[in-house]
Amino acid sequence: AAFGPKNIIWAVAQGQQAAISIDAFCNGRDVAERPPPHVTLGSQKMGIHEWSYDNEISLEERRKVPLRDQVVALADISAEVELGFDREIGYEETQRCLNCDVQTVFTDKLCIECDACVDICPTDCITFTSNGPEADLRHRLTAPASNLEQAIYVSAALKTGRIMAKDEDVCLHCGLCAERCPTGAWDMRKFLLDMAHAGEAGRYQ
Ligand code: SF4
Ligand code: SF4
């Protein structure tokens, strides 16, 4: 079956796994063993209203890639069907990036429950409320979290006994909550996942 770019991505990933197993075999380790990945979260804050990433939110709709005329495409097997975007539209498409590698990180001990982040969040994805069973809590969020495949983040109990719940499904990663927070309880941090590679014996414990 053809899956487009997935074919190449899977081939590279499986080649990497095979290399790790071969390396393990040659060094007398269990070929199925994999060392844990390295994970880092680095703050992107550069000033009170300044981040190292572009946090502007684009309201542009997603555009369809223009296609070659069917008569031409069907007559010539070597003719590329997708024509791609021109420079201007390509640039606008890049502005729709939601910076999914930049995470909202909440430090409960720093929160004074002023609710300023709730007021400024453009998508209502932050809620301070009493804790409860997940099914109930999902419906009590400011914007009900109906996508059951997306886990909701629930903090530890805060000083008033409430919890902070956040629905990542609707977060734009705009950083406004972190800009508004007076105590730095919200921070925008870049997430980096570094998987093991063959030849990294030092990663095994
Ligand atoms: S990053 Fe933006 S959308 Fe996400 S929780 Fe903060 S204010 Fe809301
Ligand atoms: S703005 Fe900061 S201190 Fe205020 S409720 Fe939100 S996280 Fe807590």
Side-chain angles (χ1 to χ4, degrees), residues 37-80:
H38 288 165
V39 177
T40 50
L41 272 175
S43 178
Q44 301 303 294
K45 201 171 185 66
M46 296 179 72
I48 293 175
H49 299 293
E50 206 178 341
W51 302 98
S52 69
Y53 69 101
D54 178 11
N55 64 329
E56 288 286 322
I57 299 302
S58 166
L59 298 177
E60 293 289 328
E61 294 281 329
R62 182 180 182 182
R63 291 177 173 80
K64 283 189 178 160
V65 178
L67 303 179
R68 192 177 297 282
D69 183 84
Q70 271 190 354
V71 176
V72 179
L74 291 172
D76 179 2
I77 197 166
S78 63
E80 284 208 38

Side-chain angles (χ1 to χ4, degrees), residues 53 57 102-104 117 120-126 166-168 170-178 186 188:
Y53 69 101
I57 299 302
V102 180
Q103 311 288 324
T104 49
C117 55
I120 201 161
C121 177
T123 60
D124 290 337
C125 63
I126 303 171
K166 176 167 181 271
D167 179 9
E168 187 62 26
V170 287
C171 178
L172 301 174
H173 302 213
C174 64
L176 288 175
C177 51
W186 281 115
M188 306 303 292

Side-chain angles (χ1 to χ4, degrees), residues 181-194:
C181 179
T183 64
W186 281 115
D187 192 18
M188 306 303 292
R189 297 187 190 168
K190 189 180 276 266
F191 174 75
L192 185 67
L193 180 71
D194 180 20

